[in-house]
Each structure stands twice: as C-alpha cells, then as structure tokens.
C-alpha cells in the first residue's frame, strides 16, 4: 500500500482533510459576503477570510506531514497560529475602533499577550520529552492567556466597548470574549490531554483541529452575523 495516501481509517488524517475543506469554504463565504455588509464591517470580513485562507494553506501541508510521518506538524501548527492569532486580535481591535476611540495600547497589550502565549506553547511542545520544560512553559502560556482574558473583561478594551459600543458591536464584542475564554480553552485542554492524559499525538491533533474549526470559522461567522444584523438596524459610517 502506498503510505503517502490518506488512509480513510486514519481519523487524525481525515480530520486534517475535513478542516482543510471547511477553511477553503469559509474563505469563499467571508469573501463573497463582504459585499453584503456596510462600512467598517467589510474590513472585519476581509480579516476573517485572511485567517481561514492562511489556515487552509497550513492544513494542506500539515495533513501531508501527518500522513507521511505520523508525527505532529508542530512547526507548521505554530507558524499558522503566529500568523492568524494576531489577525484575530486585530479583529477585536477593529470592532472596537469602528465605534469610537480606543488607544493603540489595547492592541499592543493583547498582541504581546498572544505572542508570549504562543512562544511558550511552542517551546514547551518542542521540549515535550522534558517534563519541567513542558509544564513550566505551559504555565507561562496560560498566564499570558489569562492576561488577555483580563484585558478584554476588565481592561481598557472592555471599558471602550461599554461606553461607546453600538448594539451590533457590543454583540460582536461579547461573542468574541466568549470565543477567547471558552473557544481558546480547547487548546490548553488539548495540550494537557495530549501530553499528560493520553500521551497520544493523534488525540492532540484532533483536539487542536477541532479548536481551529471553532476559533477561526465560528468566530468569523459570529462577526458576519453581527455585521449583517447591523445592516438591518443601524448605519455604520
Ligand atoms: C487560529 C488559532 C488560534 C485561535 C490559536 C489559539 C491558541 C491558543 C489559545 C493556545 C493556547 C495555549 C495555552 C493557553 C497554554 C500553552 C499552550 C498553548 C499555546 C496551546
């Protein structure tokens, strides 16, 4: 049998396949739907399409790495995240700045938190055979993530939303908060389950793939829903 073909009973490989297709379809959807929304929401849909497009490219390649080596495509996973997570942070900032003034410091604090979180996770996974490294870097990454949560629930970002947001922007902002709190929690759960629980790289990859589906596609759909609702009941410049 040709080991370079995707085996239908390889569930991990099939999950890479399905998410690749979903990322391409989502990119098409966000791009086309951009025409239906007004004003600054267009940029938000453009960014959503960029996120799913970048992910699609990485998913094609990660599937090949998995199928051909049976190993986690860790480097490409984190290259993808390092490109897409800052774009998702930019989405937050766009939603907020579409409705009023919010300092650039908000963007940079969220951005810095995300970079620290991802670098710590990457170095931890790279040193997965060293339990001290694996778990101390996990703690660093988790603290950075909790800092992001703090900033969007209690920091300047949150205050700008409360004082200046419109109905649609508030809806988008609170949905984004839920994504960052609950959707993003799937990643550390995958890390714990993959390295401490099952010790199974297949399970780790299935959980990360599911998390990307939620946090890239569902996230874009939430913004799309807020943007199209905003068409109906308010004017955005
Ligand atoms: C599109 C990709 C996204 C939204 C990736 C998000 C990744 C995370 C929220 C990762 C979180 C992690 C921690 C909170 C602790 C350290 C291990 C990580 C990097 C998996």
């Amino acid at each position: 049998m040709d080991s370079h073909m995707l085996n239908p009973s390889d569930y991990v490989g099939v999950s890479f396949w399905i998410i690749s297709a979903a990322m391409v379809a989502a990119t098409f959807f966000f791009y086309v739907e951009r025409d239906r929304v007004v004003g600054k929401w267009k940029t938000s849909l453009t960014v959503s399409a960029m996120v799913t497009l970048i992910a699609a490219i990485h998913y094609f390649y990660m599937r090949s790495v998995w199928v051909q080596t049976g190993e986690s495509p860790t480097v490409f996973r984190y290259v993808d995240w390092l490109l897409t997570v800052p774009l998702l942070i930019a989405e937050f900032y766009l939603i907020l700045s579409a409705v009023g003034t919010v300092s650039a410091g908000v963007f940079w604090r969220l951005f810095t938190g995300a970079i620290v979180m991802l670098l710590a996770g990457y170095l931890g996974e790279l040193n997965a055979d060293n339990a001290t490294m694996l778990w101390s870097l996990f703690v660093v990454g988790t603290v950075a993530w909790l800092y992001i949560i703090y900033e969007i629930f209690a920091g300047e970002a949150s205050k700008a939303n409360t004082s200046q947001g419109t109905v649609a922007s508030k809806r988008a902002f609170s949905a984004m908060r839920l994504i960052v709190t609950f959707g993003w929690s799937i990643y550390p759960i995958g890390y714990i389950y993959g390295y401490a629980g099952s010790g199974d790289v297949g399970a780790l990859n299935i959980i990360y793939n599911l998390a990307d589906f939620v946090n890239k596609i569902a996230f874009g759909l939430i913004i799309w829903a807020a943007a199209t609702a905003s068409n109906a009941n308010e004017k955005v410049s």
Side-chain angles (χ1 to χ4, degrees):
M1 207 182 88
D2 187 350
S3 63
H4 297 310
M5 302 293 279
L6 176 59
N7 179 345
S9 65
D10 169 4
Y11 297 119
V12 183
V14 170
S15 78
F16 277 110
W17 177 274
I18 292 170
I19 308 289
S20 311
M23 292 293 177
V24 173
T27 305
F28 173 74
F29 179 81
F30 296 137
Y31 178 71
V32 171
E33 288 293 305
R34 190 180 183 280
D35 281 346
R36 282 188 52 212
V37 303
V38 293
K40 289 172 176 168
W41 289 106
K42 284 191 191 304
T43 315
S44 299
L45 287 192
T46 304
V47 176
S48 293
M50 288 169 70
V51 165
T52 50
L53 178 62
I54 292 170
I57 294 165
H58 286 82
Y59 265 82
F60 297 140
Y61 197 79
M62 289 197 288
R63 189 188 74 238
S64 303
V65 171
W66 173 262
V67 167
Q68 295 186 19
T69 67
E71 284 169 17
S72 276
T74 308
V75 175
F76 300 98
R77 176 80 75 189
Y78 277 88
V79 171
D80 173 343
W81 290 354
L82 275 169
L83 295 171
T84 53
V85 172
L87 285 170
L88 294 171
I89 298 282
E91 290 255 39
F92 257 109
Y93 187 72
L94 280 172
I95 302 278
L96 281 173
S97 56
V99 295
T101 41
V102 44
S103 81
V106 171
F107 173 80
W108 290 112
R109 285 198 293 278
L110 294 174
F111 178 81
T112 307
I115 298 295
V116 171
M117 175 183 84
L118 293 175
L119 281 182
Y122 177 63
L123 293 174
E125 294 202 47
L126 215 57
N127 292 287
D129 48 5
N130 177 336
T132 314
M133 293 284 272
L134 182 68
W135 297 112
S136 54
L137 286 160
F138 177 79
V139 171
V140 173
T142 302
V143 169
W145 172 49
L146 294 176
Y147 171 72
I148 295 173
I149 294 176
Y150 164 80
E151 180 67 37
I152 58 181
F153 277 91
E156 187 191 337
S158 161
K159 289 178 191 117
N161 174 61
T162 321
S163 59
Q164 305 166 343
T166 62
V167 176
S169 82
K170 280 183 179 157
R171 189 184 304 138
F173 191 75
S174 58
M176 288 190 294
R177 292 212 276 220
L178 292 180
I179 286 276
V180 171
T181 311
F182 296 106
W184 285 21
S185 75
I186 305 170
Y187 298 97
I189 290 170
Y191 190 109
I192 293 171
Y193 186 76
Y195 292 108
S198 66
D200 168 1
V201 287
L204 175 73
N205 280 285
I206 289 188
I207 297 172
Y208 281 170
N209 291 356
L210 173 77
D212 278 351
F213 183 86
V214 170
N215 293 298
K216 294 183 167 66
I217 299 179
F219 181 81
L221 287 175
I222 287 169
I223 291 170
W224 168 81
T228 45
S230 152
N231 274 358
N233 51 38
E234 54 191 79
K235 284 229 296 270
V236 181
S237 61

